[in-house]
Amino acid sequence: MSVDVRLVRDLVATIDDREPLVVVIGDCILDRWTVGTAERVSREAPAPVVRVTESIAVPGGAANTAVNARALGARVRIVGLIGDDDAGTVLRERLATAGVDTSFLVEVAGARTTTKSRVVGGDRMVVRVDDLAGTPTADHDERLARAVARAVRCADAAVVCDYGLGVRAEDVVPVLDRDRPGTIVVDAHDLARWAALRPDLVTPNAGEAAALLGRDLGTGADRVPAVVAARADLLARTGARAVVVTLDRDGTVLLDRDSDEGFRTRAIPASEQQTSGAGDTFCAAATVALAVRAPLHDAVSVAQVAADVVVREAGTSVCSAAALLVSVTAPAVTVVDHDELADAVDRARRAGRRVVFTNGCFDVVHTGHTTYLRQARDLGDLLVVALNDDDSVRRLKGPERPFNPAEDRAGVLAALACVDLVTVFATDTPIPLIERLRPEVYVKGGDYSPEMLRETAVVRAYGGEVVMVDYVPEHSTTAVVRRIREAAAAAAEAQSAATAVEARPAATAADPDGAADAGTEVIPR
């Protein structure tokens, strides 16, 4: 997703200037992570043996939301139930160290603090053990309600984090109704419980939205139209002014009462990590932005950026204001999915820019490639390179190819100054992508002719231009690989000959040909 750098800079500056007061109310959790290597299986049971290299304990749940809000520049008070056990002590210390006001935490004598302990061996979580707090009593609920009443005085925003671990809507809603902060955000497993609060924003994930609707939303990007179609139901059942449904790798969809269309954000795909709490970060960032009166669309866009930051970190992580700024001021992401590419092409075309499109395997990038890509870039204003995925390369080039996976090939192309955008496609030809983008110019190397390409008819049918650029002889990937193999074979042959010469016995006066029996043993006198 592309977010205006000025938007993020201005928002961070506004938060720093105003220091809004955010109250986090909810289920406090201590996340423990035990990390190590797992190189063998136990003889006692079919389970990996993890050799521990690191153990950490960090705030989780509502406590994670609180430390994220503080890291983004807000003043933060947290209200929740904790035990007087060791986990409660550690959690309070971690929160205080992060700058969160813990004076409104309600400590329950003899109670456990909810703890989630994860053991990670190598790159895989081996087990998660949840030690849950007991059910609060009426006295605990009353103490919590009084703490909420004290904490929300003069607050700019309140966020409720309800994971079904003890915080009850019937205790909190009346208090927030009496002294309502400027913004109320709810992140809850069961949002229907909080409908009476009439939140300004609720943040269900796809599973929570499906449970609220009582129907499946599908999978992957198919969830987006399903969420938009459910707009009226989601708003009615949550009682909220706006709903943003988080869809993990597919970003989010924001629905509000002023528009029938959803506002979409797109996540930046990240490699699989042992991550936890990206939803807490998203909720915290959106709340802090709304606390300084940012428009709803801007708040959600910045929250997506914050979530993108933490999913690249292992464990339960925090996005600071500094990390947020770095993420948007770093060089633009060049490798994009098809939806992002379509948006970028549309923006370029509206700005009067000429779009040039080419495609290929680009398995081993060489002079032939770079020459033709520079020539292609000169034909327009925006050069898009579509890259065959690994399966389609195997179908086209044989089982030994590609030599480099799609992620590496895309990274190399993205580093070229002449390339503006790179995307990966799975079909044998890029025709479906060409039909969607309708580039003004379609380019291929001069080792082809227009008549050889199935794409030619498609491009010419909508009025596009097909251009063949110069071919650089002996610089195809096949030729480069052939030369590498020939050089390797020659080096191996030379090494073999040298080894044979070294193995030959040296000549002596007694044996001038150096041909003594290799099995003869000389015994000194």
Side-chain angles (χ1 to χ4, degrees):
M1 185 187 73
S2 176
V3 176
D4 190 336
V5 174
R6 287 173 298 178
L7 185 161
V8 177
R9 283 177 172 164
D10 290 349
L11 182 58
V12 169
T14 301
I15 294 168
D16 183 61
D17 181 55
R18 297 184 185 177
E19 291 188 277
L21 175 58
V22 174
V23 178
V24 179
I25 305 160
D27 297 318
C28 298
I29 300 169
L30 183 67
D31 278 352
R32 295 188 186 274
W33 292 82
T34 301
V35 181
T37 58
E39 298 174 347
R40 62 189 180 91
V41 176
S42 172
R43 287 177 291 182
E44 304 164 68
V49 175
V50 177
R51 189 172 187 176
V52 177
T53 57
E54 181 182 23
S55 294
I56 59 173
V58 293
N64 186 35
T65 301
V67 295
N68 271 276
R70 180 69 191 106
L72 290 167
R75 291 174 294 135
V76 181
R77 297 171 179 169
I78 187 165
V79 186
L81 300 171
I82 62 171
D84 60 352
D85 55 352
D86 176 66
T89 300
V90 172
L91 181 55
R92 187 188 289 273
E93 289 175 351
R94 297 290 191 275
L95 286 165
T97 300
V100 175
D101 183 348
T102 63
S103 60
F104 300 94
L105 286 174
V106 176
E107 187 174 287
V108 180
R112 294 193 306 274
T113 301
T114 294
T115 304
K116 295 185 178 180
S117 301
R118 300 166 177 86
V119 178
V120 178
D123 60 354
R124 179 174 301 180
M125 185 185 298
V126 176
V127 67
R128 191 182 96 177
V129 179
D130 291 357
D131 187 7
L132 305 181
T135 302
T137 65
D139 175 62
H140 303 151
D141 295 335
E142 185 178 341
R143 289 174 61 193
L144 182 71
R146 290 199 301 267
V148 171
R150 296 196 311 275
V152 297
R153 292 170 186 164
C154 303
D156 295 290
V159 54
V160 176
C161 305
D162 172 17
Y163 310 117
L165 298 174
V167 172
R168 303 194 315 161
E170 50 266 43
D171 301 317
V172 176
V173 170
V175 178
L176 293 180
D177 275 343
R178 286 195 303 269
D179 192 3
R180 189 180 182 95
T183 295
I184 294 180
V185 178
V186 175
D187 178 20
H189 286 347
D190 183 3
L191 285 165
R193 297 175 53 197
W194 298 90
L197 185 57
R198 304 180 312 283
D200 295 287
L201 179 68
V202 295
T203 62
N205 60 32
E208 291 160 351
L212 192 65
L213 295 167
R215 61 178 182 271
D216 185 49
L217 294 175
T219 59
D222 291 341
R223 297 173 295 180
V224 174
V227 167
V228 174
R231 168 184 164 274
D233 282 348
L234 287 169
L235 291 169
R237 298 186 188 197
T238 61
R241 180 169 67 90
V243 178
V244 57
V245 181
T246 58
L247 303 173
D248 45 80
R249 293 179 65 87
D250 295 303
T252 72
V253 180
L254 173 64
L255 310 165
D256 60 37
R257 296 184 180 276
D258 299 328
S259 173
D260 292 338
E261 297 181 359
F263 172 75
R264 178 94 184 269
T265 72
R266 292 186 171 86
I268 297 175
S271 59
E272 294 298 323
Q273 296 262 19
Q274 295 302 333
T275 58
S276 177
D280 301 332
T281 302
F282 182 95
C283 184
T287 302
V288 173
L290 293 173
V292 294
R293 301 295 183 266
L296 190 56
H297 286 195
D298 291 352
V300 170
S301 295
V302 172
Q304 178 68 73
V305 176
D308 286 341
V309 169
V310 299
V311 297
R312 281 161 172 71
E313 302 293 334
T316 307
S317 301
V318 173
C319 176
S320 65
L324 194 66
L325 286 172
V326 168
S327 72
V328 295
T329 55
V333 174
T334 305
V335 183
V336 295
D337 64 25
H338 292 186
D339 288 338
E340 291 174 303
L341 177 58
D343 288 345
V345 167
D346 185 53
R347 289 193 300 271
R349 193 166 281 130
R350 288 200 304 269
R353 302 176 72 192
R354 181 177 168 91
V355 178
V356 181
F357 181 102
T358 191
N359 65 280
C361 299
F362 297 96
D363 196 2
V364 178
V365 175
H366 49 70
T367 300
H369 287 138
T370 56
T371 300
Y372 121 67
L373 289 173
R374 284 197 299 270
Q375 292 176 0
R377 182 64 174 78
D378 290 340
L379 297 171
D381 307 299
L382 183 82
L383 176 59
V384 176
V385 180
L387 189 66
N388 290 78
D389 74 356
D390 294 346
D391 286 340
S392 65
V393 173
R394 276 188 283 273
R395 291 195 298 271
L396 294 169
K397 302 290 187 180
E400 292 185 353
R401 303 281 294 276
F403 301 114
N404 297 297
E407 182 178 351
D408 290 351
R409 291 183 282 127
V412 170
L413 290 173
L416 299 177
C418 59
V419 175
D420 294 299
L421 294 169
V422 180
T423 197
V424 178
F425 66 97
T427 50
D428 289 342
T429 76
I431 287 175
L433 194 53
I434 290 173
E435 290 175 331
R436 179 176 182 181
L437 301 177
R438 299 168 70 90
E440 282 74 15
V441 184
Y442 177 63
V443 178
K444 289 296 283 184
D447 48 339
Y448 293 93
S449 68
E451 292 71 30
M452 294 169 62
L453 303 171
R454 292 166 55 188
E455 295 87 348
T456 296
V458 175
V459 174
R460 289 176 175 171
Y462 65 74
E465 181 182 1
V466 178
V467 177
M468 303 292 110
V469 296
D470 293 343
Y471 173 61
V472 182
E474 281 301 298
H475 280 91
S476 69
T477 297
T478 300
V480 171
V481 172
R482 186 186 69 243
R483 289 198 300 273
I484 291 171
R485 286 175 171 168
E486 288 173 350
E493 185 176 347
Q495 179 63 39
S496 177
T499 302
V501 170
E502 290 174 3
R504 185 177 178 183
T508 67
D511 183 9
D513 296 323
D517 187 344
T520 301
E521 182 179 4
V522 179
I523 302 175
R525 299 177 67 177

